Amino acid sequence: MFFKTIIKFLIFLFCAICIQKSFAQEVRVINNKGTINTLVKNKYTTSNIEPIDPLEGDIWFDNTDSINIITKIYDKTSTSWLKINLKKLQDDDADTSISVEKITDEDIIRFQTLGTERMLINSLGNVAIGNSNPYAQAILDLTNTQKFGFLLPTELKPIDILTPTDGMLMYSSQNKNAYLRAGNAWKPITFNSVTNELIFEGTGADSNFYYVSLIINNDWKVIKYNKADVNVELEATISNNAGQTSQPTTLTECQALTYN
């Protein structure tokens, strides 16, 4: 009798272990209506061996290749582990996406919207917008067949940019001109609109100079020429004469300026 009791206990214990093994991930909860529901508590496994007794939604990080770990999710319907595509992020209708390595080991990131590739970054870091083959020496290549242009940042005047640095580009809506920052100065790079040109001949100690005062692209400038050599010239602008807000219109005003 004692042995029968032990055998029954062992059988019960074995069944309990089996049930626990099969349903360890299933949790029963009672909702606010008193209904008992079974929820799946998924597990995440990192291994080079397929997990045993998986449930729907379990995640397996297959590290058979430790360099390229593959992420898989268990599908109960097909009773198989499905590979998750980590090389592509896309919307519901798959016409907008970010993808990597469209071709094996090409090391390119591609950006697509509305079914059309708009931009890519190649293995060397060259960025192409509007084309798929950026020029090797260009960090950014905007060549395109869509007849699109590059729109510069716009301010009223170049001096509106408070802390400029050489190499900057901008467009002045007041002066109707584009500017390049070079040599610590904004320099027009498209066309010059010159008005109000005034010429003065120096007197006294400055008798060897001509002064040409003018408005160029809505900013004043005075050029000081050496009569003996017109290739020698000095310039004065509002940049180095902040107190002179309007165009100098007399010889006295021109002589009082700071030139460089």
Side-chain angles (χ1 to χ4, degrees):
M1 185 72 179
F2 175 72
F3 291 105
K4 288 183 178 180
T5 302
I6 293 177
I7 291 172
K8 289 180 180 179
F9 175 75
L10 292 174
I11 293 174
F12 172 78
L13 183 61
F14 175 77
C15 291
I17 292 173
C18 291
I19 292 173
Q20 184 180 10
K21 184 176 181 181
S22 299
F23 301 102
Q25 294 172 285
E26 294 184 354
V27 179
R28 291 187 177 184
V29 297
I30 301 176
N31 63 19
N32 58 0
K33 295 182 180 180
T35 304
I36 298 176
N37 296 309
T38 300
L39 301 178
V40 177
K41 183 180 179 181
N42 291 111
K43 63 180 181 181
Y44 306 87
T45 305
T46 301
S47 172
N48 61 354
I49 301 173
E50 183 176 308
I52 301 174
D53 300 328
L55 293 180
E56 177 82 16
D58 279 1
I59 302 294
W60 171 27
F61 299 105
D62 184 354
N63 62 356
T64 302
D65 180 350
S66 61
I67 303 299
N68 298 298
I69 298 176
I70 301 174
T71 304
K72 300 178 180 179
I73 187 169
Y74 186 73
D75 178 45
K76 185 177 181 180
T77 303
S78 62
T79 64
S80 62
W81 289 94
L82 304 179
K83 181 179 177 181
I84 298 177
N85 185 1
L86 297 179
K87 291 186 176 183
K88 191 171 188 179
L89 176 66
Q90 64 184 32
D91 63 357
D92 289 341
D93 58 2
D95 66 351
T96 299
S97 65
I98 302 174
S99 60
V100 297
E101 295 198 352
K102 185 177 180 180
I103 301 172
T104 303
D105 202 31
E106 68 172 352
D107 299 323
I108 293 177
I109 304 175
R110 301 174 185 273
F111 299 82
Q112 172 182 288
T113 61
L114 205 61
T116 300
E117 185 175 289
R118 310 292 185 182
M119 183 177 83
L120 65 77
I121 305 174
N122 68 15
S123 59
L124 299 177
N126 305 102
V127 179
I129 299 178
N131 69 87
S132 59
N133 186 29
Y135 182 65
Q137 302 302 314
I139 189 67
L140 175 63
D141 187 340
L142 301 177
T143 305
N144 67 84
T145 59
Q146 299 165 284
K147 298 181 180 180
F148 288 163
F150 175 58
L151 184 62
L152 289 173
T154 300
E155 297 290 346
L156 186 65
K157 298 177 291 184
I159 59 174
D160 290 340
I161 298 178
L162 300 180
T163 55
T165 187
D166 282 3
M168 280 185 170
L169 287 170
M170 62 84 64
Y171 179 78
S172 167
S173 59
Q174 175 177 288
N175 298 345
K176 309 300 182 185
N177 209 341
Y179 287 80
L180 168 68
R181 185 75 179 183
N184 294 319
W186 286 107
K187 299 183 179 181
I189 60 175
T190 52
F191 67 91
N192 292 322
S193 175
V194 178
T195 58
N196 292 14
E197 186 173 0
L198 305 173
I199 302 176
F200 304 98
E201 184 173 0
T203 60
D206 290 332
S207 61
N208 198 40
F209 294 95
Y210 287 115
Y211 293 87
V212 179
S213 176
L214 48 84
I215 297 293
I216 180 169
N217 299 322
N218 291 331
D219 289 326
W220 69 262
K221 176 187 287 189
V222 176
I223 305 171
K224 184 178 180 180
Y225 290 102
N226 190 318
K227 291 181 180 179
D229 185 354
V230 293
N231 292 314
V232 177
E233 62 181 61
L234 299 173
E235 290 186 0
T237 65
I238 194 172
S239 297
N240 57 344
N241 293 272
Q244 184 71 40
T245 57
S246 60
Q247 179 191 8
T249 56
T250 67
L251 175 61
T252 301
E253 286 180 315
C254 291
Q255 289 176 316
L257 297 172
T258 299
Y259 292 84
N260 58 16

